[in-house]
Amino acid sequence: MSIVSPERPIVAESGKVRTWLRRIWSGGQIVESCPSWCTDGHHNDGDGMLVDLSHGRDYGGTLLPVFDAKEGTIEMPVLDARISVDPYSDSPERRLPHVVLQPWEDEVMECLDPAAFAAVIAQIRAHCDRLDDVHAALVAARRETASL
């Protein structure tokens, strides 16, 4: 493991611990280390306040074609997920790895622990089961309409 200077970019390599020297605005410096799962680049984390540091990994969402009055149909991400940890946060739940879920653009569910995230997944899965029922009803309605 080598320490990189803040002037050199830190290349995100999943599974490898990365470290760098970080200058703290209130004075002093600290050697920071990424957790093995962190894929953030940390290109702007060579100096700053301690609480500004966050480690994370984005898992993305699925893109759905959504109607937009100005643009027509545009691809919008839904269920965008990120594992994150804020090691210097005042909030104990942020100092542990947690999920930040963006159900749709500009809306966020923060600090989901494993149990809370599992509950959200169960709700979404149950809703998808109900959507299967809607799909079956649509097929039946179209079949009925075609026979008229």
Side-chain angles (χ1 to χ4, degrees):
M1 166 171 48
S2 63
I3 297 175
V4 284
S5 73
E7 291 79 29
R8 290 183 30 212
I10 300 164
V11 178
E13 298 178 51
S14 182
K16 292 187 179 182
V17 176
R18 297 165 295 143
T19 62
W20 71 99
L21 186 62
R22 186 166 173 238
R23 291 183 295 267
I24 308 305
W25 285 353
S26 59
Q29 57 190 21
I30 189 170
V31 174
E32 296 287 2
S33 295
C34 285
S36 63
W37 49 265
C38 177
T39 58
D40 287 348
H42 296 291
H43 298 290
N44 296 317
D45 289 334
D47 60 23
M49 307 264 308
L50 277 176
V51 297
D52 291 340
L53 182 68
S54 178
H55 296 287
R57 181 179 191 149
D58 294 313
Y59 287 86
T62 190
L63 295 175
L64 294 178
V66 176
F67 176 75
D68 180 83
K70 289 184 180 179
E71 304 290 328
T73 300
I74 59 174
E75 298 280 308
M76 297 288 289
V78 297
L79 300 176
D80 201 15
R82 173 179 171 80
I83 294 179
S84 186
V85 67
D86 307 310
Y88 302 106
S89 175
D90 292 335
S91 302
E93 63 269 11
R94 289 186 174 278
R95 288 193 301 264
L96 292 172
H98 56 274
V99 166
V100 177
L101 183 67
Q102 187 173 343
W104 55 89
E105 192 170 280
D106 298 329
E107 300 298 331
V108 176
M109 300 172 74
E110 291 188 310
C111 291
L112 297 172
D113 64 19
F117 189 45
V120 170
I121 293 167
Q123 285 180 286
I124 293 167
R125 188 168 283 125
H127 185 67
C128 287
D129 290 343
R130 288 191 301 276
L131 291 177
D132 284 338
D133 295 339
V134 173
H135 178 262
L138 173 63
V139 169
R142 288 179 68 120
R143 190 177 312 121
E144 178 184 319
T145 302
S147 68
L148 296 179

